Amino acid sequence: MVIINISSTKRTEFIDITSQIERVIREKEIEEGICIIFCPHTTAGLTINENADPSVRSDIIAHIEKLIPYRGHYLHLEGNADSHIKASIFGSSLSLIVKNKRLILGRWQGIYFCEFDGPRERKVYVKVLSG
Amino acid sequence: MVIINISSTKRTEFIDITSQIERVIREKEIEEGICIIFCPHTTAGLTINENADPSVRSDIIAHIEKLIPYRGHYLHLEGNADSHIKASIFGSSLSLIVKNKRLILGRWQGIYFCEFDGPRERKVYVKVLSG
Amino acid sequence: MVIINISSTKRTEFIDITSQIERVIREKEIEEGICIIFCPHTTAGLTINENADPSVRSDIIAHIEKLIPYRGHYLHLEGNADSHIKASIFGSSLSLIVKNKRLILGRWQGIYFCEFDGPRERKVYVKVLSG
């Protein structure tokens, strides 16, 4: 298992971690298999989406904020109830396929760490399984 | 594959299954690997979120109910169309990492079975793969 | 890794791919293991939901459209910002369990390719891992 360290700089931010995940695959030298990416935080998540036009990420963040507003009526008193809800909607794990020692991704896909309660120091765990 | 039995007591309820999953890992005695958790129901899901303040779960449940109301205008006539929609939003499977014979979870993370159409008798399947 | 080709015929459409995935499992002749399904597109996703009453899928599609409308105020200028948001909400990967050479699914579960920006030619990748 490899740990990737991430420093977020805003409250809500999608951080591209594709190259770090690809480096893990390269260094493991696994020919064929799968790759599990896991986010150990309850106010952050993971997603795969467009890596070209950054306005796609802005649209996702803005729309999720509209559906699950920061300043809503919540019971949880730490001011980050919305972050927990967003984390569950996006999810904590991704499953990917490794082929010919490379991570399989679509042409426009990037892997993003979804910060919903930053800025914070965060981690992502990566596990590659051969087979 | 191990089957975990769950009895929900409310229509919507998040049930902590972390200790049952951890017991599966301990009994399998797998040093390193991954763990897939699968929900075989179409009106329930799985999520990972905060295990400390229970108001976080209440906030998630209340907000999802606001976005996808029980009494909405739906075509499906069994009175649980909202439960199906919620199930797809949360998802049916989780992928976790096993290291040193232990499930890797963040400090504040618990694994929850998300009941959206209870009370019912439910099952969750757990598969551990060594590697 | 096996590639499944999909032709969508509408802008938004859930296409049942269960039998194609089951055929992959049969042909691989793997006794026990897991199956990762991966969608390499950023305006489509994957979900598991009811395979009986088609009105369930109609309800999911209609409600997601209400929450994330096609004609909203988005920055991304290609007219498919909503499709990207929907793709992230549903997710790009599914993890399933294989037992006795068969895919484990609940009685009412089908596996769906979620088209959010069709009609298009699409692909889904399937990887089976023995163990």
Side-chain angles (χ1 to χ4, degrees):
Chain A
M1 191 186 81
V2 174
I3 301 174
I4 290 174
N5 292 294
I6 296 163
S7 299
S8 62
T9 60
K10 300 179 193 165
R11 184 167 196 271
T12 308
E13 186 181 9
F14 282 20
I15 298 169
D16 191 335
I17 57 170
T18 316
S19 63
Q20 283 113 304
I21 306 290
E22 285 174 335
R23 192 188 316 144
V24 173
I25 307 291
R26 267 200 314 276
E27 291 176 356
K28 289 280 173 198
E29 295 193 332
I30 279 172
E31 194 75 42
E32 311 275 319
I34 64 167
C35 172
I36 303 292
I37 311 175
F38 186 76
C39 167
H41 309 287
T42 57
T43 54
L46 295 166
T47 198
I48 293 175
N49 218 301
E50 162 142 350
N51 58 9
D53 180 1
S55 73
V56 168
R57 265 117 65 203
S58 305
D59 282 333
I60 299 175
I61 289 171
H63 200 81
I64 292 302
E65 181 60 34
K66 205 183 285 183
L67 293 177
I68 307 164
Y70 178 16
R71 304 292 184 200
H73 295 285
Y74 305 112
L75 298 172
H76 186 55
L77 295 176
E78 292 177 25
N80 61 359
D82 67 306
S83 321
H84 286 285
I85 303 169
K86 289 163 182 165
S88 268
I89 297 295
F90 280 77
S92 313
S93 59
L94 297 174
S95 304
L96 292 118
I97 300 170
V98 177
K99 193 177 154 66
N100 300 330
K101 294 188 184 170
R102 292 187 54 226
L103 195 65
I104 295 292
L105 280 174
R107 185 177 171 182
W108 306 105
Q109 285 183 320
I111 305 168
Y112 293 91
F113 178 84
C114 311
E115 175 62 81
F116 295 121
D117 192 30
R120 281 175 192 250
E121 295 303 312
R122 302 290 206 172
K123 282 180 202 309
V124 161
Y125 301 140
V126 187
K127 172 77 184 169
V128 191
L129 215 69
S130 182
Chain B
M1 191 186 81
V2 174
I3 301 175
I4 291 174
N5 292 295
I6 296 162
S7 299
S8 62
T9 60
K10 301 181 194 163
R11 184 170 197 270
T12 308
E13 185 181 9
F14 282 19
I15 298 169
D16 191 337
I17 57 170
T18 316
S19 62
Q20 282 112 303
I21 307 291
E22 284 176 336
R23 192 187 318 144
V24 173
I25 308 291
R26 267 200 313 276
E27 291 175 354
K28 288 281 174 199
E29 294 193 333
I30 278 172
E31 194 77 40
E32 311 275 318
I34 64 167
C35 172
I36 303 292
I37 311 175
F38 185 76
C39 167
H41 309 288
T42 58
T43 54
L46 294 166
T47 199
I48 293 175
N49 217 302
E50 162 142 349
N51 59 9
D53 181 1
S55 72
V56 168
R57 266 115 67 203
S58 305
D59 282 333
I60 298 175
I61 289 171
H63 200 81
I64 291 302
E65 181 61 33
K66 206 183 284 183
L67 293 177
I68 307 164
Y70 178 16
R71 304 291 183 202
H73 295 283
Y74 305 111
L75 298 172
H76 184 56
L77 295 176
E78 293 178 25
N80 61 0
D82 66 307
S83 322
H84 286 285
I85 303 168
K86 289 163 183 165
S88 269
I89 296 296
F90 280 78
S92 312
S93 59
L94 297 175
S95 304
L96 292 117
I97 300 170
V98 177
K99 192 176 155 67
N100 299 330
K101 294 187 183 171
R102 292 187 55 226
L103 196 64
I104 294 292
L105 281 173
R107 184 176 172 183
W108 306 105
Q109 285 183 321
I111 305 168
Y112 292 90
F113 178 84
C114 310
E115 175 63 81
F116 295 122
D117 192 29
R120 280 175 192 251
E121 296 302 312
R122 302 290 207 173
K123 283 180 201 309
V124 161
Y125 302 139
V126 187
K127 172 76 184 169
V128 190
L129 215 70
S130 181
Chain C
M1 191 187 79
V2 175
I3 301 174
I4 291 173
N5 292 294
I6 296 163
S7 299
S8 63
T9 60
K10 301 181 193 163
R11 183 168 197 272
T12 308
E13 186 182 8
F14 281 20
I15 298 168
D16 191 336
I17 57 170
T18 316
S19 62
Q20 284 112 302
I21 307 290
E22 285 175 335
R23 193 187 316 142
V24 173
I25 307 290
R26 267 199 314 276
E27 291 175 356
K28 289 281 172 196
E29 295 193 331
I30 278 173
E31 194 76 40
E32 312 275 318
I34 63 167
C35 172
I36 303 293
I37 311 175
F38 186 76
C39 167
H41 309 288
T42 57
T43 54
L46 295 166
T47 198
I48 294 176
N49 217 301
E50 162 143 350
N51 59 7
D53 180 2
S55 72
V56 168
R57 265 116 66 204
S58 305
D59 282 333
I60 299 175
I61 289 170
H63 200 80
I64 291 301
E65 181 60 34
K66 206 181 286 182
L67 294 177
I68 307 164
Y70 178 15
R71 303 292 183 201
H73 296 283
Y74 305 112
L75 298 172
H76 185 55
L77 295 176
E78 292 178 25
N80 61 0
D82 66 308
S83 322
H84 286 286
I85 303 169
K86 289 162 181 165
S88 269
I89 296 294
F90 280 78
S92 313
S93 59
L94 296 174
S95 304
L96 292 117
I97 301 170
V98 178
K99 192 176 154 67
N100 299 330
K101 293 187 184 171
R102 293 187 54 226
L103 196 63
I104 294 292
L105 280 174
R107 185 177 173 182
W108 306 106
Q109 285 184 321
I111 304 168
Y112 293 90
F113 178 83
C114 311
E115 175 63 83
F116 295 121
D117 191 31
R120 281 176 191 250
E121 296 302 312
R122 302 291 207 171
K123 282 179 203 308
V124 161
Y125 301 140
V126 187
K127 172 74 184 172
V128 190
L129 215 69
S130 182

